[in-house]
Amino acid sequence: MTDRRTFLKTAATATAAIAAAPLLESCRRGPWADGNVENPASPTYEEDSYLIVPKGAGLRITGTFLDEISHDIPHQNWGPVEWEKDFLNMKAIGIDTVIMIRSGYRKFITWPSKYLLKKGCYMPSIDLVELFLSLADKYDMKFYFGLYDTGHYWDTRDMSWELEYNKFVIDEVWQAYGHHKSFQGWYISTEISRNTKGAIGAFHEMGRMCKDVSGGLPTFISPWIDGKKAIMGTNLKSKKGVSVQKHEQEWNEIFDGIHDVVDACAFQDGHIDYDELDAFFSVNKKLADKYGMQCWTNAESFDRDMPINFLPIKFDKLRMKLEAAARCGYDKAITFEFSHFMSPQSAYLQAGHLYDRYKDYFDIK
C-alpha cells in the first residue's frame, strides 16, 4: 500500500521528468549523441539547435595583423612550423590578407635591417619578413608591410622620428623583399585617434614614400577612436569620450589631407561601447566614401572590458561589432589579431573556442 507522502513524491518526480524531456532530448543531440562517452571531442549535433541569432549576419574577417614585435601581449615563440600551421588556420576561415603590424619597435626588429642595426637595434634570430612573405606567397595571400615604430612618438607625440627612420626603412625593405608576389601594400603603423599636431603631414609623407618606391601599392592606417574605453592599463573607469560630431569634424580634416596617398582606413573598434557602434561606423563610412577611400574595420579580437590585459574576446562582442560593420556597408574586416586571440594553437585556450564559435556563426566547415 502506498501512503500519501510516497504518492506525492512519486508524482512530482514523474511530472519533473515529463517537463525535462525536451531539454534531455536537446542534450541527447549534443557531443555524446553517438553514445561514445569516452570521446566527446567529436560532436554530432547541429549548432543551429543552440544559436538564437541569425547566422552569418556580420562582415567576415578577411585580414589579420601579425604581431611578433609587441610590448603588451606575450610572444608565443613560434618558428616556421607553427607559423605555417597558423597560415593554414587563417586560410580555412577565409583570411586573404596578412599585415605585419610593425617591422620593429624601439630596439627589437623583425628582419636584419642594415640601417636599423646601425642605429642600435638588436639582431633578430629569424627573418620574419621573409618567412611571412614566403608563406603568403605559398597560400596566395596579400602581405602588407608595417613600418618601423621608433617608440619616440609614444613618449613625445613627435612624429618627426617616424619620418626620419622610415624613409630609409621603406627603401631598404622594398629592395630586399619587393620581388615577392605577395608584397601587395603598406601599413603606416603610427596610431593616432585625434588630429594630433603634425599627423596629417607625417602620414602624407610616409604614404607618399611608400607609393613612390613601390609603383603605387596601396597603403592603409588603423587609428583608434577616442571613445569612452580609450583608457590605459587596467583602469576600466569610463571617460567621457569624443562625441560623434567632433570625431567627424577632426577625421574629415585628416582624410582631406591624406586621401591621395592613403587608400584605406581601418578604425579600431574597441574603444567605443557596443551601442555606439552604428553611430561612429556610419560616420567613418561616410567620410571614406567622400574621399574615395576604402572603409575597413579593425575588429579587435581581444577584450577591452576585462581587468586583465589582454584576453580573447567574448564571441558575442565580436559578433556585434562585425554585424555593425555589415550594416554600415564596410568594405573589409581585419582583426588584431588572429594568432594570439583566435587561433586554435594560441597560448590562450579561449582563442581556439572563439575560432570554433566564429566558424559556427559563419557556417564554415
Side-chain angles (χ1 to χ4, degrees), residues 225 242-251 267 280 284:
I225 299 168
V242 68
S243 68
V244 175
Q245 294 75 22
K246 187 64 174 177
H247 173 76
E248 180 174 7
Q249 175 190 331
E250 294 192 16
W251 280 96
F267 278 102
F280 280 95
N284 296 342

Side-chain angles (χ1 to χ4, degrees), residues 12-25:
T13 302
T15 302
I18 293 170
L23 177 60
L24 291 172
E25 181 57 33

Side-chain angles (χ1 to χ4, degrees), residues 36-297:
N36 184 7
V37 296
E38 294 183 358
N39 183 23
S42 303
T44 60
Y45 63 81
E46 292 292 332
E47 188 65 26
D48 288 351
S49 303
Y50 299 95
L51 278 179
I52 59 174
V53 296
K55 295 179 75 172
L59 185 63
R60 290 198 182 206
I61 294 171
T62 55
T64 181
F65 285 104
L66 304 172
D67 188 8
E68 274 302 291
I69 294 292
S70 178
H71 64 95
D72 52 11
I73 57 175
H75 289 265
Q76 301 193 101
N77 295 308
W78 289 352
V81 172
E82 292 87 357
W83 276 113
E84 182 156 16
K85 287 179 182 177
D86 225 43
F87 271 65
L88 286 168
N89 289 328
M90 296 173 199
K91 190 79 173 177
I93 63 168
I95 288 177
D96 59 21
T97 305
V98 291
I99 307 115
M100 175 172 277
I101 193 165
R102 55 184 70 85
S103 54
Y105 178 65
R106 299 188 190 269
K107 290 190 175 184
F108 284 96
I109 55 179
T110 57
W111 56 294
S113 165
K114 295 178 181 177
Y115 172 76
L116 293 176
L117 288 170
K118 289 179 181 177
K119 290 293 184 178
C121 290
Y122 306 132
M123 173 66 78
S125 59
I126 186 172
D127 185 341
L128 284 173
V129 177
E130 179 62 35
L131 175 62
F132 291 158
L133 279 163
S134 297
L135 289 171
D137 288 345
K138 183 174 181 179
Y139 293 108
D140 195 26
M141 295 180 177
K142 296 178 181 179
F143 174 87
Y144 280 68
F145 180 86
L147 302 187
Y148 173 67
D149 186 339
T150 68
H152 290 293
Y153 167 72
W154 302 108
D155 298 332
T156 65
R157 292 299 187 264
D158 180 357
M159 299 185 74
S160 64
W161 293 87
E162 313 311 308
L163 281 172
E164 178 62 26
Y165 276 67
N166 278 297
K167 68 183 181 183
F168 296 102
V169 167
I170 291 166
D171 283 339
E172 185 181 350
V173 79
W174 182 251
Q175 291 177 21
Y177 304 103
H179 62 280
H180 282 275
K181 68 174 183 178
S182 59
F183 199 134
Q184 291 292 310
W186 306 85
Y187 170 55
I188 303 172
S189 58
T190 307
E191 299 174 19
I192 62 172
S193 65
R194 308 288 292 268
N195 194 358
T196 307
K197 182 179 179 180
I200 294 175
F203 273 61
H204 191 277
E205 183 62 14
M206 286 188 281
R208 183 195 62 76
M209 290 189 294
C210 289
K211 285 185 169 294
D212 284 352
V213 77
S214 63
L217 286 183
T219 65
F220 85 97
I221 59 174
S222 186
W224 42 287
I225 299 168
D226 194 20
K228 62 178 65 175
K229 292 195 285 185
I231 49 184
M232 301 300 292
T234 57
N235 175 19
L236 297 181
K237 184 179 179 180
S238 296
K239 65 175 189 177
K240 184 177 181 180
V242 68
S243 68
V244 175
Q245 294 75 22
K246 187 64 174 177
H247 173 76
E248 180 174 7
Q249 175 190 331
E250 294 192 16
W251 280 96
N252 180 68
E253 185 176 350
I254 295 169
F255 280 8
D256 183 55
I258 67 173
H259 70 276
D260 57 324
V261 292
V262 175
D263 300 278
C265 180
F267 278 102
Q268 300 168 30
D269 67 4
H271 294 92
I272 53 176
D273 219 340
Y274 303 99
D275 56 6
E276 299 177 303
L277 291 168
D278 285 85
F280 280 95
F281 280 19
S282 296
V283 164
N284 296 342
K285 177 60 174 170
K286 180 174 73 172
L287 290 174
D289 288 349
K290 176 180 179 180
Y291 290 102
M293 298 168 67
Q294 288 273 301
C295 187
W296 298 0
T297 187

